[in-house]
Amino acid sequence: MTADRVDITEPWLLTWRDVDPGVRPGFDPAAVAELVRALPPAAEVPPPGTDRWLVDFWFDRMTEALVARLGDWVVGWSYTVAMEDFQGRGVIPVWRAQRPPVTTPDETLTRIAEAVVAWHELLVELATDARGRFAAAAPATTDGTGEPPAWRAVQGHGRVAVHAGPRERPLPYPSELSWADTQLPDRGYAPGTVPAVVGDLVAAAELPSPGADWRLRELWLENISAGLVGRYGRWAVGWRWSVGEGDLDGGPVGSWCCLPHSATTPEAAVTAIAAALVEWREWLDDLAERFERFLPLAAGDLDGWERAVAHLVTAVGDRTQYESGWYSCCATVLGWFLEAAGIAPARRKELLEHAVAGRFDSWVEPARAVVESVAEDLARRVAVDHG
């Protein structure tokens, strides 16, 4: 990589002056393939199997290089746009991003060139709406901008952007762990071993700069997490679940915020990551002790269930400081408690949706009456299951 950051604009944020094909009458579709191959990033096409973050970053570098050669209009080369009846929202502009698969360098670059030409052709259509696909949906305007109605239609405020294909994460979010996942396997975990393990992981890959592209930072963090999971077990992914608006938002870990703030140097990174992992393990062990205070619980023991749920909600709130997204951690902990109590997965989800969803807010400590209501509701629903 020759650069560690790319900033590009979403195509629907451009003005018509930026994209108007009428201002580039000399555009030659036949020359695009050669131009694409001459761009500096074209010499670095990722091989198949490259990590998804690096592939995504490379495509953005190609886009940045295309904009430098052809102008802002080309930033939309990976998009198509149409008016669609979309998911009950009526007919709205839907932008669909579909970058070509990375195969051989020749095939990959050819597909990029074809997509650039197709985007130019779409802009030509938008200039006149010759096929009548867009203009009827255009909002009325009297601002005298001269923008064609079709462009105003696809820029509409109701638009959505759809990115093809889900991103597969190599590791789960901490909230996706089961309670069984959090148990400490026999892999020699001891707090004193953690700094050395983390030090080896940090030394194995160059630390991105604080201002590096978010994908390069995410890849580095995922590699650290994978190393910790390999050494200590699946539970270790939770080291990044920081309090407030950190890496993963709304968690119980105070020793880690995010790479720009917590890892300004390799030494600082080792210190912060090691402390965060130990803190996360201590939180899981603390939860296990809390669970043991209440379990086993008979389904009909309403008072016991209410005390347990209210206690856990308060414990999570105190730990997360009721910061951004704290309720996600709360729902996770309650789900773990239900799992430890032997309640089936499908029923656990249903119980949490009915009793907890929408009851708590970010940055707000709930009133005691709300906590008690959640606890009472959950307890009664558990009792109904076994009534």
Side-chain angles (χ1 to χ4, degrees):
M1 294 293 179
T2 58
D4 69 353
R5 189 175 185 88
V6 175
D7 293 302
I8 57 176
T9 302
E10 299 291 1
W12 51 82
L13 298 179
L14 300 175
T15 67
W16 181 248
R17 182 178 298 179
D18 295 324
V19 300
D20 183 2
V23 302
R24 47 180 186 278
F27 177 77
D28 181 6
V32 172
E34 183 178 352
L35 181 149
V36 166
R37 284 170 169 76
L39 298 174
E44 304 172 14
V45 178
T50 298
D51 184 274
R52 70 200 192 286
W53 295 127
L54 294 181
V55 171
D56 196 56
F57 184 58
W58 178 80
F59 273 121
D60 275 3
R61 289 182 58 219
M62 283 294 291
T63 300
E64 185 179 55
L66 283 165
V67 168
R69 288 293 302 274
L70 295 174
D72 289 339
W73 70 271
V74 79
V75 75
W77 69 267
S78 62
Y79 283 90
T80 61
V81 61
M83 304 301 300
E84 299 181 20
D85 190 350
F86 186 80
Q87 297 183 359
R89 294 177 56 181
V91 178
I92 59 174
V94 177
W95 296 70
R96 296 187 180 276
Q98 181 64 69
R99 287 171 166 171
V102 174
T103 53
T104 66
D106 185 63
E107 287 179 342
T108 303
L109 296 173
T110 295
R111 289 176 179 138
I112 291 175
E114 291 171 347
V116 169
V117 172
W119 173 245
H120 181 267
E121 291 174 349
L122 178 58
L123 293 176
V124 170
E125 180 187 355
L126 289 170
T128 61
D129 198 21
R131 297 166 59 186
R133 294 197 294 160
F134 303 105
T141 183
T142 58
D143 59 12
T145 61
E147 293 183 340
W151 179 247
R152 295 203 309 274
V154 301
Q155 277 192 308
H157 291 301
R159 67 180 178 274
V160 296
V162 178
H163 295 268
R167 293 188 184 278
E168 294 183 2
R169 297 193 307 275
L171 296 170
Y173 283 126
S175 60
E176 296 171 338
L177 294 173
S178 67
W179 181 239
D181 289 333
T182 70
Q183 306 310 296
L184 193 61
D186 185 18
R187 295 192 184 179
Y189 171 80
T193 69
V194 173
V197 171
V198 174
D200 289 343
L201 294 173
V202 171
E206 183 178 355
L207 179 69
S209 69
D213 187 273
W214 69 271
R215 286 157 295 196
L216 302 184
R217 300 199 305 265
E218 187 65 25
L219 175 60
W220 189 86
L221 290 166
E222 284 185 357
N223 286 337
I224 295 294
S225 290
L228 292 174
V229 168
R231 176 65 176 81
Y232 293 121
R234 189 173 168 87
W235 65 269
V237 297
W239 71 270
R240 292 176 59 192
W241 203 3
S242 50
V243 172
E245 297 177 306
D247 261 352
L248 300 183
D249 193 48
V253 177
S255 301
W256 177 264
C257 166
C258 50
L259 192 145
H261 291 91
S262 303
T264 52
T265 65
E267 294 76 18
V270 171
T271 299
I273 295 169
L277 182 69
V278 171
E279 184 182 358
W280 171 246
R281 184 65 251 172
E282 290 174 347
W283 167 243
L284 295 177
D285 293 341
D286 178 76
L287 285 177
E289 292 177 1
R290 293 176 189 270
F291 289 3
E292 288 175 2
R293 295 179 205 170
F294 294 100
L295 296 176
L297 268 173
D301 185 359
L302 293 181
D303 288 344
W305 277 98
E306 288 178 24
R307 285 196 302 272
V309 172
H311 171 84
L312 292 172
V313 170
T314 302
V316 172
D318 289 344
R319 183 67 177 238
T320 60
Q321 303 170 43
Y322 300 100
E323 283 275 354
S324 172
W326 74 275
Y327 45 80
S328 176
C329 185
C330 184
T332 299
V333 169
L334 292 178
W336 288 343
F337 184 70
L338 294 174
E339 179 185 345
I343 294 176
R347 185 54 179 154
R348 293 199 300 266
K349 181 179 179 181
E350 188 176 333
L351 287 168
L352 292 174
E353 287 178 349
H354 284 295
V356 181
R359 305 289 292 276
F360 303 133
D361 297 306
S362 295
W363 305 292
V364 177
E365 179 179 353
R368 186 64 191 175
V370 174
V371 175
E372 291 173 352
S373 175
V374 168
E376 181 181 0
D377 192 10
L378 190 57
R380 288 181 175 178
R381 290 179 184 276
V382 170
V384 167
D385 286 351
H386 297 83

